Every structure is written in C-alpha cells, then in structure tokens.
Amino acid sequence: MSVDLEERAVHGHRAAAAQAGVAERWLAKLGIVPNWRKDEMNSAADGIDPDTGGPSFDPFMPFTNLGPVPSARGDKREFGGYAHNVDAGRLFAGTTAQTRGIYPFPAASGARVRGVPFGRHLHTAEPIGLDPAQWLVDGLVTNTGIWVQGQPGVGKSTAAKRLLTGLVSYGFTGIVPGDIKDEYTAIIKEMGGDVFRIGRGLDSLNPLDLGPMRAAIQAAIGTQRAQLLSVSRGRRLDLLEALITIVGGNRLTSTERLLLATAVDIAEDGHRRAGLPDPTIPDVVKVMEAGPDQLRKIMCAWTDVEYAREIREFRNTLVLLIEGPIAGMFDRPSSFSADANSPALSLSLSAIEDDGDDVVAAAMLCSWTWSAGVIEGRQAAGERRNVFQIQDELWRALRSTPGLVEKSDRITRLNRHRGVVSLQSTHSITDLEALPTEADRAKAKGMAARNGVKLLGGLDNAEMDRLHAITPFTSRERQMTVRWSAPPTWVPGQRHPGRGKYLIKSGSRMGLPVHVDLVPEELELYNTDGAFDGIKRGGHRAA
C-alpha cells in the first residue's frame, strides 16, 4: 500500500511539473519569466545548485545559460533579433498519402479564391469569391463562361442575381437578353439600369437595326468603317436567316440565302440614299416583290410570272415574320436604344412567356443578337467596359428548330477575347438531348463543357451521371449534390436542403461546396415565389 501511495505521489508530481512547464512556455512567449525562475538562473550563473545549495556541474551549461527566454518577436535590444513583423508561414500542398500522420488538418482548406463574395464553404466556413474574370487572371480557369444547372426552385436565378449585383458593383455592365420570366427586372431597376419589354403592343426590336453599332460606324473612316459595316451586315443577315428558319421550319438553301442578302442590301442602299433610318422586314419584302434585275438574275427568272413562281414559297415565309405569330415585335423600327452609361440592361420577354416555342425562340435569338451588338458597338467606340451576360431558360431557344445551337454558340464563343463573362442556365442535360438533330445535341454538349465554371444546385442521380460524362465528380460530391435535391422526410415546415447550396466545379479539381446567405434586401429582390405569398404555413391562406 505504501509503495502504491508513493507511485501515485510521483505521478502527481510529474503531472504538476508538466503543467507548470506548459504554463511557463506560454508565459515565455509573452516575454514573462517567473521570479523563481530568475532566482534559478542567477544561481546557475553563480555556479550554485538550487537544490543542494552547493557547487553545480552541468556539461550543457554553455548552451543553457542564455538568460531569459525571449518573446516570439525576439528581444527589443541590440543584437536581440527583434522582428517588427512576423511573416505568415508558407503554404504547401500535398496528397493524403504524402502528408499521412499529420492529416486531417484542424484548419481551413485554404481555397483563397477571389471575386464576388458568393458564400461560405460548407465545411470550413471560409468566404468564397466567384468571378471567372478574376479567376482567368489568377490562372484558375481558361475561359469566363459559367454553366448553371439545378432543379427548379433550388436557386439558379438567385446565384445569377448575386453575381450580377457583385460584378456590376465592380464596374461591369450587366446585360440580360431575353428575361422570359421577368425575374431580373426588379434588381436591374434597383441598380439604376434600363428594362425594355418586348411584345405585341409593347417595345419592338428591328432585326435590321444597326443599334449601338451606328455611332461607331459613323465615327469610323476608311478600312475600319468598311470592316464595321461588314460585321454589322453579317450579324443582321445571320439573325434574319435564323428567324426565317424558326418560322418556316427549314434551313435556307444557298439560293434563298443569296436572294435574302441581295434584297437586304438593295433595301439598305435605298434607305441610305433617301436619308431614311435602317430598313425593316416589310421593306425587304417590298424589294423582293418589286423584282429588280439583281434578284431575277439569282432566280434565273426573267418574266414576272416565272419570278413570282420562283420566290413564292420564300416570300410567304418572310411574310410570316410580319403577319404570323411574332407579328408586331420584329417588323417595326426599334422603339428603344441602349444607354452606353447604363449599369445594366434587360430585354423582358414575359409578355410572350406562354406563347409557343417558335415565338419564344425567335424573341430570345433577337435579344441575344441585340446584346452582342451592344458589346461590339462599345468596343468599336473604344469603350473597353467588361460585360456580364445572363442567358436564362436556354433550352427554350435551342429546341425549336435545327441549327440554332450553332448560332447561339457563335454569339458566346469569343467571350474571353471580348471581355465578357457569360452565364448560361438550364434545368437538365436532357434539355440538350431533346434537340432536333444529333449534330445539335453534340454541339450543345460541347457548349456546356466549354464553360470554365460549373455551378450546380440539387440534382438527381441520373442527372449527375450525365454531368459526370462532361465533368468528373467524386463520390462525395455526387452524394452531396443528390442530398440537396429533396427533403429527407415528409415533415412540413423544414427548410429545403438544397436552397442556397451550390457546388462550384472547374475541371477535375475538387469542387467548392458553398452556402449562400442572403441579406434582407436580397430576400425581397430575389424572391421568385411571390405568387404564393398569400399562403401561410399550415395550409391556411392569408385574409
């Protein structure tokens, strides 16, 4: 029993000494030395053993008799090694195999990405910035496209609005060409931007209008003026061909394309000589019906009857743009012009949301072309202001007619060279797989893969399999994204697990799971469920 008590006493003494040693080391870092330690140091300096009171012998005395332990910054004296600034440690990266034994680290992951304050890391609570333009400069991505995908209601438009607000604050111009649900009108008006409503009886957009390019063309001279005219002509013809394809349902033949281009040139030349503004589609129809020699030569028809018979089908398709489903929207002069100094611009298409896919596709394609004209017009005028462009509900414009994927892809392919950050949003990869032809489906998948950043909300297993063929995901990333797709129970009143949660993915590197918290102003401006504000929890409607 006595031996046991003695061992306990020894262990207690050792534990107390260890605790005292830890406390002493922390005090030493602060530059504080206890009085009893100073007495020991003085005794040791005099060669006296503090325990026995006699002479002491220590073979390591030259190394230990160095005086008080200095602080972390050193002694503030001559030759004391005092450092006014302690630099941060260097950052090293390694795999779990290379760093085994010291992994996992009880610290943040060290993402350190910069840009618009987007949200916080789900696991480390680090602030995460999202800005493809900044990431391009930092070498994290090779292009500035963002592909946003998620189930309806998980917050795709919220993520786009957060980026829109941040990038406009950084000096970008926000452009929303084709706001089919009128989701961005409130935030753009709040930022002091301009919103134009396209529809029957509302604003109209002339596909042949030079728009923002007009000022740059008038200011240019020589070869630069000829180049700008050529670019504008090509874009207008491209858009007009796309509209005819949507309405007619078939691609134009080479003869029809030449006939259309010549008729547009004749109408443009006539308006320029008469001092009139840009021609409209009815003006092109009038030129075609008049049958000048240039058009008769193309159709190889020299009599009026032969010429009328040859152009009948194409002429009727062109008249559908004036009298068909999209009548009143694109057959008049443009009723608005973009302000070069506006922080944000939007073309609202909510007036035709319930129309057929052909009407929506025509309107969205015209809006995209107008947006490209705004960007090119500013660059031609020497205004190198970066642009953030949002293409929402992408699937509605692409699935109506074969060949529209190529035209949409052409509009956004050179964003990196134009200083444009583009965001394309859709619900599912199956929207792209439902395109009319195999060539369109392949081009659409390539367009999705070419975006440098993928921003994903809650998705099901089948959708993750399709995305995995484009961008590789780890098993944990797949499980996490699938868990966000639906609540785990049927208990009402719970927050949807996917609301405000996104996985930022770029290439094959690990994704960044982010949670976005909205401030009260954002909760009001970004709300897309306003139609259900009269319903309270529990199933009772407000009075």
Side-chain angles (χ1 to χ4, degrees), residues 65 219 250 275 358 386 392 423 451:
N65 189 18
N250 297 312
D358 54 347
N386 296 111
D392 208 347
L423 184 147
N451 285 278

Side-chain angles (χ1 to χ4, degrees), residues 82-118:
Y82 183 81
H84 292 277
N85 180 49
V86 179
D87 295 330
R90 295 185 61 185
L91 178 65
F92 294 90
T95 65
T96 54
Q98 294 170 329
T99 57
R100 55 189 174 186
I102 57 175
Y103 181 86
F105 304 103
S109 64
R112 300 195 306 173
V113 291
R114 298 186 293 173
V116 175
F118 188 68

Side-chain angles (χ1 to χ4, degrees), residues 448-449 451 454 464 466-473 505-508:
N451 285 278
K454 309 293 188 300
M464 291 302 296
R466 301 184 189 99
L467 280 172
H468 186 72
I470 299 176
T471 300
F473 296 90
K505 191 75 175 177
S506 180
S508 59

Side-chain angles (χ1 to χ4, degrees), residues 11 34 51 73 97 156 191 209 302 358 360 366 368 420 442 508:
H11 285 302
D51 295 328
R73 294 179 180 271
K156 296 189 301 298
M191 292 188 294
D209 189 358
W302 304 108
D358 54 347
V360 174
C366 285
W368 293 349
V420 178
S508 59

Side-chain angles (χ1 to χ4, degrees), residues 50 52 63 106 134 136 147 156 164 192 214 227 244 251 300 340 350 357 366 394 422 429 469 493:
T52 63
F63 305 98
Q134 181 66 56
L136 179 71
W147 181 266
K156 296 189 301 298
L164 175 65
R214 182 182 295 105
Q227 181 185 5
I244 295 173
R251 293 186 178 184
C300 295
S350 58
D357 286 341
C366 285
L394 186 67
S422 64
I429 292 294

Side-chain angles (χ1 to χ4, degrees), residues 207-208 233-262 264 281 284 314 317-318 321 362 365-366 369 401-404 407 410:
L208 300 178
R233 178 180 181 271
R235 186 168 295 282
R236 291 191 296 178
L237 288 175
D238 203 25
L239 174 58
L240 197 52
E241 289 179 14
L243 292 177
I244 295 173
T245 301
I246 292 172
V247 174
N250 297 312
R251 293 186 178 184
L252 274 65
T253 64
S254 57
T255 301
E256 292 172 339
R257 295 183 66 184
L258 182 58
L259 180 69
L260 179 65
T262 306
V264 170
I281 295 178
V284 177
F314 184 68
T317 304
L318 197 58
L321 298 178
L365 195 62
C366 285
T369 305
T401 307
L404 294 185
K407 299 184 183 300
R410 193 182 309 165

Side-chain angles (χ1 to χ4, degrees), residues 14 61 83 104 195 209 221 241 263 297 391 418 434 458 463 465:
R14 289 177 178 175
M61 181 68 72
V195 178
D209 189 358
I221 59 174
E241 289 179 14
K297 182 178 180 181
Q391 290 179 286
R418 295 173 180 168
E463 196 62 36
D465 288 338

Side-chain angles (χ1 to χ4, degrees), residues 197-215:
R197 297 184 178 276
I198 304 296
R200 303 173 187 89
L202 302 174
D203 288 324
S204 60
L205 178 62
N206 180 15
L208 300 178
D209 189 358
L210 289 175
M213 291 289 290
R214 182 182 295 105

